[in-house]
């Protein structure tokens, strides 16, 4: 764009042609990056010479103030297409489909243009994340396999002054750099490469890793020399799955009934009585077992009808009165345990809340201690987690020397500590609700920085994978992983880009 070039030449002179280095009137040396036009120079002018820019005449078509950037018609049109494709997870060729163009009021664009500007917006968002990320943050990561491709999602979570106490951004979602080895070393290389895109590194910026309690994650944490906060939901899933082994015979019988009811003959009979169909359990998630038992209790009255109870082929599958009584008793227990599963997924829950819930569970189900106890062998860094729990519970005065050393990086300088006075001496959701009320009571100023960004679970990645499943469905298996990552990156980080961002990409493109 002519105005951009003229403005840059007003402040800059070419210092070295071979490296595209320019010298500002304030003596600052900047490199005009390839394929970025005048963007780098304009950013410097906007930051260092903002008052002078605002006073320039004849620049009404080019504003540099964040809130005054002109949104062009083309930029708004491209934004609408990108937003539509990313928000609804549409295939890229959707913009070229005949009906889309017939019924949409947007100016038509081609797939090539769509990808081009999605890529430009992605780079802008990466730059914004680089400026947003503080010096210290935690990393939440997990793997996801779809068909023959294994992806790894990496989120950064950092503290902010909001009620929730933290913010998260998606940093990357891609296959491992080497797709023939899925060990900790390859995960480490991917993590290093991802952080490098944002000008960060593991050693100086990452304070902890958060993920499943898998051996590969523990090995990765050891390679990074960082503590691993094991996912509380994963621990609980393992604990309940272990507990349910005591009921395997009963659950096997109920599952056999559900398999039988899925046949055409019995599914047809069942459909004449209820819209509810049979449900099978899944070995991965214990909640599917709860759903299966709950569904059986709903179908049981219909199964007592003569069409089923008098059918000689179905009779062998029927539960005895004793088994049915045990099934109802188990269902009541599973309902209670399911309430804990739901509560563990709440965004506001922290490590101290998790410890409180686990202690309540252990009081009733001591056999789950193998996975839920504070000193369980599954925990990667017990001292680190126990120290964080005490800090979040305002019991930091009870920290042992070893615990204090484990969280030394979070301690405030003495000059930042203020004394605000002395502290004032169901179901899962009610337990946490009462704790939140107690925490709001007056307490002394903590000697440690806020630790809410050290999440107790990797549930945000699990939710992300559920969304990714819609984007990478059976009809889009030829979708390039790079394009999938770009679409998911823009969807998850939607709060970091808008029509103004896309308009800036158009300006940069015209300036080249």
């Amino acid at each position: 764009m002519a105005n951009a070039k003229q403005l840059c030449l007003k402040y800059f002179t070419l210092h070295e042609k071979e490296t595209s280095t320019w010298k500002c009137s304030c003596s600052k040396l900047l490199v005009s990056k390839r394929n970025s036009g005048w963007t780098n120079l304009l950013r410097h002018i906007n930051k260092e010479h903002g008052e002078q820019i605002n006073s320039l005449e004849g620049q009404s078509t080019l504003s540099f103030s964040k809130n005054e950037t002109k949104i062009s018609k083309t930029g708004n049109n491209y934004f609408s297409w990108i937003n539509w494709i990313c928000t609804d997870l549409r295939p890229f060729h959707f913009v070229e489909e005949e009906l889309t163009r017939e019924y949409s009021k947007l100016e038509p664009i081609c797939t090539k243009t769509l990808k081009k500007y999605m890529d430009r917006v992605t780079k802008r968002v990466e730059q914004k994340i680089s400026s947003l990320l503080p010096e210290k943050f935690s990393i939440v990561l997990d793997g996801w396999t779809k068909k023959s491709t294994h992806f790894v999602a990496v989120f950064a979570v950092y503290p902010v002054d909001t009620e929730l106490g933290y913010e998260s951004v998606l940093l990357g979602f891609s296959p491992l750099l080497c797709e023939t080895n899925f060990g900790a070393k390859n995960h480490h290389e991917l993590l290093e490469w991802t952080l490098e895109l944002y000008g960060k590194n593991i050693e100086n910026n990452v304070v902890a890793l958060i993920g499943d309690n898998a051996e590969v994650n523990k090995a990765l944490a050891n390679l990074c020399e960082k503590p691993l906060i094991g996912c509380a939901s994963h621990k609980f899933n393992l604990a309940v799955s272990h507990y349910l082994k005591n009921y395997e015979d009963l659950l096997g019988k109920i599952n056999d009934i559900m398999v039988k009811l899925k046949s055409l003959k019995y599914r047809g009979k069942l459909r004449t009585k209820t819209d509810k169909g049979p449900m099978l359990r899944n070995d991965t998630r214990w909640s599917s077992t709860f759903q299966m038992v709950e569904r059986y209790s709903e179908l049981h009255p219909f199964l007592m009808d003569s069409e089923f109870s008098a059918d000689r082929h179905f009779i062998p599958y029927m539960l005895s009165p004793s088994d049915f009584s045990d099934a109802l008793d188990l269902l009541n227990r599973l309902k209670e345990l399911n309430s804990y599963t739901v509560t563990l997924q709440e965004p506001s829950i922290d490590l101290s809340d998790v410890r409180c819930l686990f202690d309540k569970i252990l009081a009733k189900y001591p056999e789950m201690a193998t996975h839920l106890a504070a000193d369980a062998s599954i925990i990667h860094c017990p001292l680190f987690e126990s120290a964080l729990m005490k800090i979040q519970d305002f019991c930091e005065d009870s920290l042992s020397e070893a615990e204090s050393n484990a969280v030394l990086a979070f301690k405030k300088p003495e000059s930042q500590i203020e004394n605000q006075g002395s502290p004032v001496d169901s179901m899962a959701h009610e337990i946490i609700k009462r704790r939140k009320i107690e925490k709001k009571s007056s307490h002394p100023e903590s000697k440690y920085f806020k630790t809410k960004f050290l999440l107790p679970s990797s549930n945000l990645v699990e939710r992300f994978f559920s969304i990714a499943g819609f984007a990478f469905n059976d009809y889009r298996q030829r979708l390039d992983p790079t394009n999938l990552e770009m679409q998911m990156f823009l969807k998850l980080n939607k709060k970091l880009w808008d029509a103004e961002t896309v308009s800036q990409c158009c300006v940069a493109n015209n300036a080249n």
Side-chain angles (χ1 to χ4, degrees):
M1 189 171 180
N3 285 339
K5 181 177 180 179
Q6 291 170 8
L7 184 61
C8 288
L9 293 178
K10 180 180 177 66
Y11 286 88
F12 286 88
T13 55
L14 187 60
H15 181 70
E16 187 176 343
K17 186 175 181 179
E18 292 182 358
T19 58
S20 297
T21 302
W22 294 76
K23 185 175 183 180
C24 182
S25 56
C26 66
S27 299
K28 178 74 172 181
L29 292 177
L30 290 177
V31 176
S32 180
K33 296 180 181 179
R34 186 179 181 183
N35 297 327
S36 64
W38 304 98
T39 305
N40 201 30
L41 307 185
L42 289 173
R43 188 181 294 113
H44 170 77
I45 297 173
N46 184 41
K47 181 179 178 181
E48 304 296 336
H49 309 287
E51 295 182 3
Q52 297 180 44
I53 289 177
N54 293 334
S55 64
L56 289 176
E57 296 181 358
Q59 299 294 335
S60 58
T61 59
L62 184 64
S63 175
F64 299 90
S65 173
K66 181 179 178 181
N67 298 323
E68 298 174 1
T69 299
K70 183 178 180 181
I71 299 176
S72 65
K73 182 179 179 181
T74 301
N76 194 57
N77 185 61
Y78 288 173
F79 164 76
S80 299
W81 279 116
I82 296 173
N83 190 33
W84 192 355
I85 295 299
C86 293
T87 301
D88 287 353
L89 298 176
R90 299 279 183 178
F92 293 165
H93 63 75
F94 178 76
V95 299
E96 295 182 349
E97 291 181 358
E98 184 178 348
L99 289 179
T100 303
R101 293 189 170 183
E102 181 177 350
Y103 292 113
S104 173
K105 295 181 180 180
L106 298 174
E107 289 294 323
I109 64 172
C110 65
T111 304
K112 184 177 180 180
T113 300
L114 173 72
K115 292 180 181 179
K116 173 183 175 181
Y117 281 93
M118 284 179 65
D119 181 64
R120 289 177 179 270
V121 174
T122 296
K123 288 181 170 58
R124 292 262 176 174
V125 175
E126 287 175 347
Q127 292 171 1
K128 192 164 187 177
I129 292 176
S130 297
S131 62
L132 282 176
L133 283 179
E135 281 301 304
K136 302 295 181 182
F137 53 86
S138 62
I139 289 291
V140 186
L141 77 166
D142 201 356
W144 180 68
T145 301
K146 183 70 172 181
K147 297 296 183 180
S148 59
T149 307
H150 182 75
F151 296 87
V152 176
V154 179
F155 283 79
V157 185
Y158 54 93
V160 291
D161 289 327
T162 62
E163 184 176 355
L164 191 59
Y166 66 87
E167 187 63 80
S168 64
V169 289
L170 175 63
L171 299 183
F173 176 54
S174 64
L176 292 170
L177 301 181
C178 175
E179 295 190 65
T180 60
N181 189 314
F182 304 96
K185 185 177 179 180
N186 273 352
H187 282 78
H188 184 267
E189 290 176 355
L190 177 66
L191 183 56
E192 279 189 322
W193 178 80
T194 301
L195 291 174
E196 189 177 336
L197 293 175
Y198 302 92
K200 305 295 182 182
N201 59 70
I202 298 173
E203 182 181 359
N204 298 319
N205 304 116
V206 178
V207 296
L209 301 182
I210 302 166
D212 285 351
N213 305 272
E215 291 303 317
V216 65
N217 285 341
K218 293 180 181 179
L220 173 61
N222 291 335
L223 273 178
C224 297
E225 297 183 347
K226 302 293 179 182
L228 170 70
I229 300 177
C231 178
S233 293
H234 184 234
K235 294 177 189 174
F236 189 61
N237 183 61
L238 293 175
V240 178
S241 297
H242 180 74
Y243 170 74
L244 289 177
K245 288 181 179 179
N246 300 322
Y247 297 87
E248 189 55 39
D249 289 344
L250 175 61
L251 294 173
K253 292 178 182 178
I254 296 176
N255 193 67
D256 289 343
I257 293 174
M258 292 298 178
V259 172
K260 191 70 174 176
L261 289 174
K262 286 183 73 71
S263 67
L264 292 176
K265 175 183 175 181
Y266 293 109
R267 184 68 183 94
K269 286 184 177 182
L270 193 62
R271 197 176 286 115
T272 63
K273 303 177 182 300
T274 177
D275 292 333
K276 296 180 178 179
M279 296 183 70
L280 301 179
R281 61 174 172 167
N282 185 306
D283 292 335
T284 306
R285 298 290 177 186
W286 80 266
S287 54
S288 64
T289 301
F290 161 63
Q291 293 166 356
M292 180 187 73
V293 176
E294 185 177 44
R295 178 56 53 89
Y296 175 78
S297 70
E298 296 168 343
L299 297 180
H300 182 76
F302 305 111
L303 300 182
M304 292 296 100
D305 190 88
S306 58
E307 284 192 72
F308 292 95
S309 60
D311 188 324
R312 64 187 181 89
H313 297 293
F314 194 81
I315 289 177
Y317 293 89
M318 298 285 287
L319 292 186
S320 66
S322 175
D323 284 341
F324 179 60
S325 177
D326 290 341
L328 292 181
D329 179 63
L330 176 60
L331 178 60
N332 290 330
R333 294 178 180 231
L334 292 180
K335 284 181 178 179
E336 179 184 7
L337 292 173
N338 188 62
S339 74
Y340 286 95
T341 292
V342 174
T343 304
L344 286 173
Q345 296 176 15
E346 293 183 3
S348 60
I349 199 168
D350 59 29
L351 278 165
S352 64
D353 296 328
V354 168
R355 184 71 264 149
C356 176
L357 289 176
F358 282 179
D359 287 343
K360 294 285 185 181
I361 296 169
L362 291 175
K364 195 167 186 178
Y365 304 96
E367 56 269 46
M368 294 188 187
T370 305
H371 298 94
L372 304 186
D375 57 351
S377 59
I378 196 173
I379 300 176
H380 180 254
C381 296
L383 284 174
F384 181 74
E385 291 195 20
S386 64
L388 288 179
M389 291 171 195
K390 291 180 179 180
I391 292 172
Q392 292 170 354
D393 263 342
F394 311 111
C395 300
E396 57 198 57
D397 289 340
S398 64
L399 288 172
S400 66
E401 183 178 354
E403 289 173 332
S404 297
N405 291 333
V407 291
L408 200 58
F410 299 95
K411 193 164 186 179
K412 295 178 182 177
E414 291 293 333
S415 59
Q416 295 186 24
I417 301 175
E418 297 179 5
N419 188 3
Q420 296 182 345
S422 57
V424 177
D425 290 337
S426 117
M427 295 296 281
H429 186 268
E430 288 300 317
I431 295 172
I432 298 302
K433 186 177 179 180
R434 287 196 297 271
R435 280 175 54 79
K436 297 299 181 187
I437 294 174
E438 293 173 2
K439 284 187 176 185
K440 287 184 179 180
S441 61
S442 60
H443 55 80
E445 175 70 12
S446 176
K447 299 176 183 177
Y448 294 86
F449 293 109
K450 294 179 180 178
T451 58
K452 201 71 183 287
F453 71 102
L454 297 168
L455 306 185
S457 74
S458 57
N459 287 327
L460 70 88
V461 189
E462 293 294 335
R463 289 190 287 269
F464 169 73
F465 289 154
S466 297
I467 299 172
F470 288 100
F472 200 46
N473 57 43
D474 292 338
Y475 299 100
R476 299 184 72 191
Q477 290 304 298
R478 294 180 63 186
L479 178 63
D480 186 273
T482 302
N483 291 332
L484 173 64
E485 178 181 17
M486 186 165 57
Q487 187 175 26
M488 297 305 301
F489 181 83
L490 293 179
K491 178 176 175 65
L492 266 289
N493 295 322
K494 177 62 183 68
K495 57 183 175 291
L496 300 178
W497 62 279
D498 51 22
E500 181 181 328
T501 310
V502 182
S503 291
Q504 290 171 352
C505 293
C506 294
V507 171
N509 182 64
N510 294 332
N512 288 339

